[in-house]
């Protein structure tokens, strides 16, 4: 297979050069048949365009075909030795010309198809149609002059005609060959080129026919009837450049040039002058103008189409990237939102845990304080109870002893009417009669004080309830009375921080007790609730400005047969509506700084609602006072846990 490949390439190259040589030779013969100047100098040299197109398309391997085709013209037309010599020299010039032109075109445009940019078109014209064709014209005309087929005096005109004809051939036919080769090469890999042409022609059928009709009219007027309207072909070429593809545009340029050349040779076009050379110059200038103008416009439009295509592609890529980036951002945003939700949940959970810890800590501290207070009160009550019991139990025999002594003294006075003077003086000094009368009053007063101390000790024990720490049935009124007894100094108007200093007038306590059954509860904790509510009521009255006579009303009642109500009302200043919703929040207080911890009502709520399955209600009016009502179930075990139905640790009644 590797041995056959070089032979196959050689055969293809030989076939290409043979076909190129035949076409070059035939078109050259046709051109010479139209020669109008001495030495067979033709008006347009079509092979110049074919040779440059071949080298641009297939490179140096086509030089043999160009040389053979150029030399073959002389062989066919005049095989004489002089003609063959001229043909050989001319063939060399015709071979070097496209090689030179193609080299510089590709060097400066870096492409074998120099019609995609306006700059490429100018490079094509400069090197392919102008500079390179001077080689062929110089070599060819010099050979004719040397052979004396053209006089040296006619070198200039012949050289000009030769050069112009070659340039015209390049400008007219090279673009046609390059554009159509490009089309066939592109479509041969996809589908049939003829099918592609039919598909392409179908949308422009009417427009194409209109263009051909107008083109025929202009060609007839300008090139066959010599009317000076030849430049009307330029708008038609511009039309073709804008509306049709590049191959149809170059074909239109070739048709225009061909019609102009044919009409001029037949002396029927508007380019005909008295001198044939002048006519050809006008003709070639016209061909150059329309060719270069149309090719530049075609290149500009090609640039525009490529720019639009690039812009569209960039737009699509940008849209695609925007969509991708938007999707990425959306996914990232969703992930961030999920993370944010997760973090918020964790933060809420941590905040809730921290809040619960603070509440638990505060409650533990308060409970510890109340437990310590209860233990202190119980200890004090116990310590006081021992000596008081001793005094209380010894007072009756002391009365008996004093009564016996007084009776003995009376008997002694009766039996000894004239005692010693010293005894009489002592009796007068101590006022024995007054002592005998006041002694029993003193003992009765001590008995009364001992009874009061005993009641206080009992109240302290009832308040602390250390002997009743478990759930038991208790008398609600006993707890209230014990609490009132402990707060007696505050109710009497003494300051809470300075026991010997009065801060307000005495506060009247109005009791409206109903006949209530015993209630199952943790009595020690319930007593703490009484203490908190009564202390708040006393503070509310103490902080009134201006002050007014204070009054606390305590009402108890039976509700619905299974609950008891304890209402503690004061005539203080009341609580603002915006603060009522926060009353049972931990650490919230309406008292001045340093005078409240904000835990009293919170712990009261926890005790009543969550631990005893009851309710804690609040009614408050600004300027009139506040009523706190406790609702406790009589039988704890049968009560429903109302804390499960509460969304907030508050219950405020407007």
């Amino acid at each position: 297979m590797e041995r056959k490949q070089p032979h196959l390439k050689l055969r293809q190259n030989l076939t290409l050069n043979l076909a190129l040589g035949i076409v070059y030779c035939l078109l050259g013969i046709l051109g010479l048949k139209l020669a109008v100047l001495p030495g067979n100098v033709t008006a347009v040299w079509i092979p110049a365009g074919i040779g440059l197109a071949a080298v641009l398309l297939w490179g140096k391997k086509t030089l043999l075909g160009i040389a053979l085709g150029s030399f073959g013209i002389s062989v066919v037309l005049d095989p004489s030795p002089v003609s063959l010599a001229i043909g050989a020299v001319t063939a060399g010039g015709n071979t070097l010309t496209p090689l030179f032109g193609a080299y510089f075109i590709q060097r400066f445009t870096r492409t074998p198809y120099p019609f995609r940019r306006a700059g490429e078109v100018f490079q094509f014209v400069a090197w392919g149609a102008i500079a390179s064709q001077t080689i062929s014209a110089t070599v060819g005309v010099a050979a004719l002059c040397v052979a004396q087929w053209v006089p040296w005096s006619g070198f200039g005109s012949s050289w000009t005609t030769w050069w112009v004809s070659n340039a015209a051939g390049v400008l007219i036919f090279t673009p046609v060959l390059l554009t159509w080769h490009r089309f066939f090469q592109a479509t041969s890999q996809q589908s049939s080129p003829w099918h592609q042409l039919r598909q392409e022609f179908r949308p422009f059928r009417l427009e194409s026919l209109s263009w051909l009709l107008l083109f025929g009219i202009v060609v007839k007027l300008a090139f066959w009837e010599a009317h000076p309207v030849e430049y009307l072909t330029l708008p038609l070429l511009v039309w073709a450049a804008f509306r049709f593809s590049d191959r149809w545009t170059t074909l239109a340029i070739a048709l225009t040039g061909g019609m102009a050349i044919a009409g001029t040779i037949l002396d029927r076009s508007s380019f005909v002058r008295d001198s044939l050379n002048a006519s050809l110059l006008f003709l070639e200038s016209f061909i150059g103008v329309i060719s270069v103008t149309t090719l530049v416009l075609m290149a500009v439009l090609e640039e525009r189409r490529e720019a639009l295509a690039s812009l569209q592609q960039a737009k699509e890529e940008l849209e695609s990237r925007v969509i991708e980036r938007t999707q990425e951002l959306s996914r990232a945003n969703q992930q961030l939102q999920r993370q944010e939700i997760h973090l918020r949940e964790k933060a809420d959970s941590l905040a809730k845990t921290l809040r619960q810890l603070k509440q638990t800590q505060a409650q533990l501290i308060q409970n510890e304080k109340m437990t310590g207070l209860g233990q202190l009160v119980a200890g004090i009550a116990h310590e006081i109870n021992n000596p008081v019991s001793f005094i209380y139990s010894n007072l009756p025999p002391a009365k008996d002893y004093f009564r016996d002594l007084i009776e003995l003294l009376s008997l002694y006075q009766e039996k000894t009417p004239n005692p010693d003077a010293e005894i009489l003086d002592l009796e007068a000094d101590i006022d024995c009669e007054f002592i005998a009368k006041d002694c029993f009053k003193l003992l009765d007063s001590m008995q009364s004080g001992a009874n009061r101390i005993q009641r206080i000790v009992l109240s302290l024990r009832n308040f602390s309830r250390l002997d009743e720490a478990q759930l038991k049935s208790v008398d609600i009124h006993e707890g209230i009375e014990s609490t009132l007894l402990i707060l007696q100094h505050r109710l009497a108007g003494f300051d809470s921080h300075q026991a010997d200093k009065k801060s307000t007038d005495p506060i009247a306590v109005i009791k409206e007790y109903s006949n209530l059954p015993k209630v199952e509860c943790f009595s020690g904790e319930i007593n703490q609730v009484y203490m908190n509510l009564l202390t708040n009521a006393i503070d509310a009255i103490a902080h009134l400005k201006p002050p007014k006579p204070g009054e606390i009303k305590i009402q108890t009642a039976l509700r619905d047969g299974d609950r008891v109500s304890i209402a503690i009302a004061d005539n203080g200043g009341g609580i603002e509506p915006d603060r009522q919703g926060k009353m049972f929040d931990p650490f919230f207080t309406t008292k001045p700084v340093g005078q409240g911890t904000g835990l009293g009502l919170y712990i009261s709520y926890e005790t009543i609602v969550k631990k005893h399955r009851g309710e804690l209600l609040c009614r408050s009016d600004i300027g009139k006072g506040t009523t706190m009502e406790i609702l406790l179930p009589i039988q704890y075990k049968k009560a429903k846990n109302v804390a499960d139905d509460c969304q907030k640790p508050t219950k405020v009644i407007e």
Side-chain angles (χ1 to χ4, degrees), residues 11 34 95 164 224 228-229 267 367-368 558 636:
R11 185 181 304 170
L34 301 176
T95 304
V164 169
W224 300 104
V229 293
D267 292 333
N367 289 338
E368 189 67 23
L558 186 64
Y636 174 83

Side-chain angles (χ1 to χ4, degrees), residues 439-512:
C439 179
F440 290 102
K441 293 181 180 179
L442 181 62
L443 291 175
D444 290 338
S445 178
M446 292 175 65
Q447 181 71 42
S448 176
N451 290 336
R452 179 170 175 78
I453 292 173
Q454 193 175 31
R455 287 197 303 272
I456 292 174
V457 170
L458 181 61
S459 296
L460 291 175
R461 289 176 60 84
N462 288 336
F463 178 79
S464 62
R465 290 291 182 178
L466 289 179
D467 55 345
E468 297 180 5
Q470 300 299 321
L471 186 66
K472 282 189 175 184
S473 296
V474 297
D475 186 354
I476 292 297
H477 298 146
E478 288 183 0
I480 297 174
E481 291 297 326
S482 299
T483 306
L484 289 173
L485 182 61
I486 293 174
L487 293 175
Q488 188 63 43
H489 69 293
R490 293 292 312 277
L491 294 171
F494 289 96
D495 190 89
S496 59
H497 302 286
Q498 299 180 12
D500 58 346
K501 179 182 177 182
K502 276 202 170 188
S503 59
T504 61
D505 294 331
I507 300 173
V509 178
I510 301 174
K511 305 173 186 177
E512 296 181 1

Side-chain angles (χ1 to χ4, degrees), residues 104-122:
F104 282 100
I105 289 172
Q106 291 183 340
R107 178 175 180 180
F108 289 104
T109 63
R110 301 184 182 279
T111 176
Y113 183 78
F115 304 117
R116 283 192 289 262
R117 303 284 185 274
E120 295 177 356
V121 173
F122 289 122

Side-chain angles (χ1 to χ4, degrees), residues 323-340:
I323 293 173
E324 292 177 359
R325 185 60 57 87
T326 303
Q327 292 175 349
E328 291 177 1
L329 290 175
S330 177
R331 289 193 293 269
N333 188 33
Q334 292 176 356
Q335 186 175 1
L336 287 175
Q337 289 178 349
R338 289 193 295 269
Q339 292 178 353
E340 182 182 3

Side-chain angles (χ1 to χ4, degrees), residues 561-574:
D562 59 351
R563 293 193 300 174
V564 296
S565 167
I566 305 101
I568 300 174
D570 63 71
N571 61 343

